[in-house]
Amino acid sequence: MNRLTLDRAKSLLAAARDINVLVVGDLMLDVYLQGTALRISPEAPVPVVRVEEEWRALGGAANVASNIVVLGSDCTLCGVVGRDKSGDVLRDELEGAGIGTAGLVPLNRPTTVKTRVLARHHQIARYDHELDDDITPAEAAHVVERIAGLASKADVIIIEDYNKGVLVRDVIEGCRSAAQQHGIPLVVDPKSRFFFDYHGAAVFKPNMPELAAALRERVQPDDAEWMEETRRRLGCENLLLTLGEEGMALMSSSGEHVRVPTVARAVHDVSGAGDTVIAVVAVALAAGATVVEAAVLANHAAGIEVGKAGVATVTPEELLASIELSRAATA
């Protein structure tokens, strides 16, 4: 599929260095405990893991932000953190990664932390500290206030929903209003709740299981009429449906229906691939890409990300190498 030349990709990635992205959504801190399990506990039939290494990573909407700054763009996060030690750690991790924290709203609820226990690189347990109740209307008003203050400097707004209670209707409407007021694209990675509340989004990017569950019907990505009907039903300008190992399907407001086949050469771990896709799509659109070019570039990014272990980011150099390799393979 020759919808994005190497020179065009270089131009877009160069322009990305002047882009400012506002990401609104659920923030998480990922903690990994890795070691060896050589015996079973005498207390219960579970392995005893001797922890030899511990590290932290940014998760949820914070991982989207990580992908954006690796592409060379500026990024500010808007979401909630707890008034706890984990909230301080998350803020430090964000600032260390070069991600703006002016949009963080501290609340009296725990910071979402997902701790994974690994033995010989295999996950054997995960435990979560979180509260996924909806934030209150007063708390939502604080988040909307931050969105309104930060949107004037943004070239694109991303909504990244993980069903952790931040993206209530007032916050969604705050994002829509800010994008409309400043004439910038709104790019949405939804979850099941409030699925139909994103009318006017420039790009709406569900995956196939999410869309099937929301519509309660079989998804038909190869049927242009079905895709157009679904796009109109969702009220978005462009519907970008991710299909895992089958790539993507795009239905644009101009009537263009495009199937983007996967470029993944090896699948090691699909964790975080959706975060990478939404980050690349948003940055590319803000840099001047057409929605088809943005989808193709994001498809290359996803193919690279799933070839890495765990949640990972993708560099501009890796993207250009992937495009060049695909061009050579079809020459």
Side-chain angles (χ1 to χ4, degrees):
M1 181 181 182
N2 188 23
R3 295 292 189 111
L4 182 67
T5 66
L6 183 61
D7 285 344
R8 178 61 170 158
K10 288 179 179 178
S11 176
L12 291 172
L13 290 169
R17 294 194 288 268
D18 296 321
I19 297 304
N20 192 314
V21 185
L22 175 59
V23 177
V24 182
D26 297 300
L27 315 182
M28 304 178 196
L29 180 66
D30 291 335
V31 178
Y32 295 85
L33 305 175
Q34 181 169 281
T36 55
L38 300 177
R39 63 191 179 96
I40 299 299
S41 171
E43 303 165 357
V46 295
V48 176
V49 178
R50 179 177 293 175
V51 176
E52 299 163 347
E53 188 178 3
E54 178 177 348
W55 70 92
R56 295 182 287 265
L58 298 171
N63 183 49
V64 175
S66 292
N67 277 271
I68 289 165
V69 296
V70 168
L71 290 171
S73 301
D74 290 331
C75 182
T76 301
L77 264 178
C78 184
V80 305
V81 293
R83 291 188 174 99
D84 51 19
K85 182 178 178 181
S86 295
D88 295 336
V89 171
L90 178 55
R91 188 183 294 271
D92 289 343
E93 292 286 329
L94 290 169
E95 291 174 350
I99 298 167
T101 58
L104 300 192
V105 178
L107 298 178
N108 291 320
R109 59 190 275 155
T111 301
T112 298
V113 181
K114 298 185 179 297
T115 302
R116 296 166 175 86
V117 182
L118 311 174
R120 296 185 184 275
H121 304 287
H122 294 289
Q123 184 178 151
I124 62 172
R126 190 184 98 179
Y127 55 95
D128 298 351
H129 291 89
E130 66 179 6
L131 177 67
D132 57 7
D133 294 350
D134 286 351
I135 58 177
T136 67
E139 292 166 342
H142 287 302
V143 175
V144 171
E145 184 180 3
R146 299 290 177 92
I147 293 167
L150 294 166
S152 62
K153 298 179 181 178
D155 299 296
V156 61
I157 298 175
I158 295 176
I159 290 180
E160 181 63 39
D161 192 1
Y162 272 85
N163 277 349
K164 302 303 178 187
V166 172
L167 285 162
V168 294
R169 284 197 166 96
D170 286 350
V171 173
I172 293 169
E173 183 56 36
C175 292
R176 292 177 62 224
S177 296
Q180 185 176 24
Q181 178 184 350
H182 297 288
I184 58 178
L186 178 64
V187 180
V188 179
D189 193 358
K191 282 292 183 285
S192 55
R193 295 185 68 213
F194 311 125
F195 203 85
F196 297 95
D197 283 35
Y198 295 100
H199 291 271
V203 177
F204 188 78
K205 188 211 73 67
N207 61 35
M208 189 155 64
E210 289 166 345
L211 186 58
L215 299 178
R216 298 183 180 180
E217 63 179 89
R218 184 173 64 88
V219 174
Q220 302 176 56
D222 294 319
D223 186 330
E225 290 186 7
W226 184 91
M227 286 286 289
E228 173 60 11
E229 181 183 343
T230 302
R231 185 194 69 78
R232 289 179 178 272
R233 183 175 173 185
L234 293 167
C236 57
E237 293 179 29
N238 300 284
L239 172 61
L240 180 61
L241 177 60
T242 55
L243 305 169
E245 62 185 16
E246 295 183 13
M248 303 177 181
L250 171 68
M251 191 71 221
S252 73
S253 55
S254 65
E256 188 171 17
H257 175 241
V258 179
R259 282 288 274 109
V260 187
T262 184
V263 296
R265 293 167 180 85
V267 178
H268 188 91
D269 190 338
V270 298
S271 301
D275 296 342
T276 298
V277 168
I278 202 74
V280 173
V281 166
V283 168
L285 281 180
T290 66
V291 68
V292 175
E293 290 173 333
V296 172
L297 192 63
N299 192 53
H300 279 280
I304 298 164
E305 200 278 344
V306 298
K308 300 181 179 183
V311 173
T313 56
V314 176
T315 67
E317 293 76 18
E318 289 173 319
L319 276 169
L320 294 175
S322 177
I323 293 168
E324 192 164 20
L325 185 61
S326 293
R327 186 182 63 170
T330 57

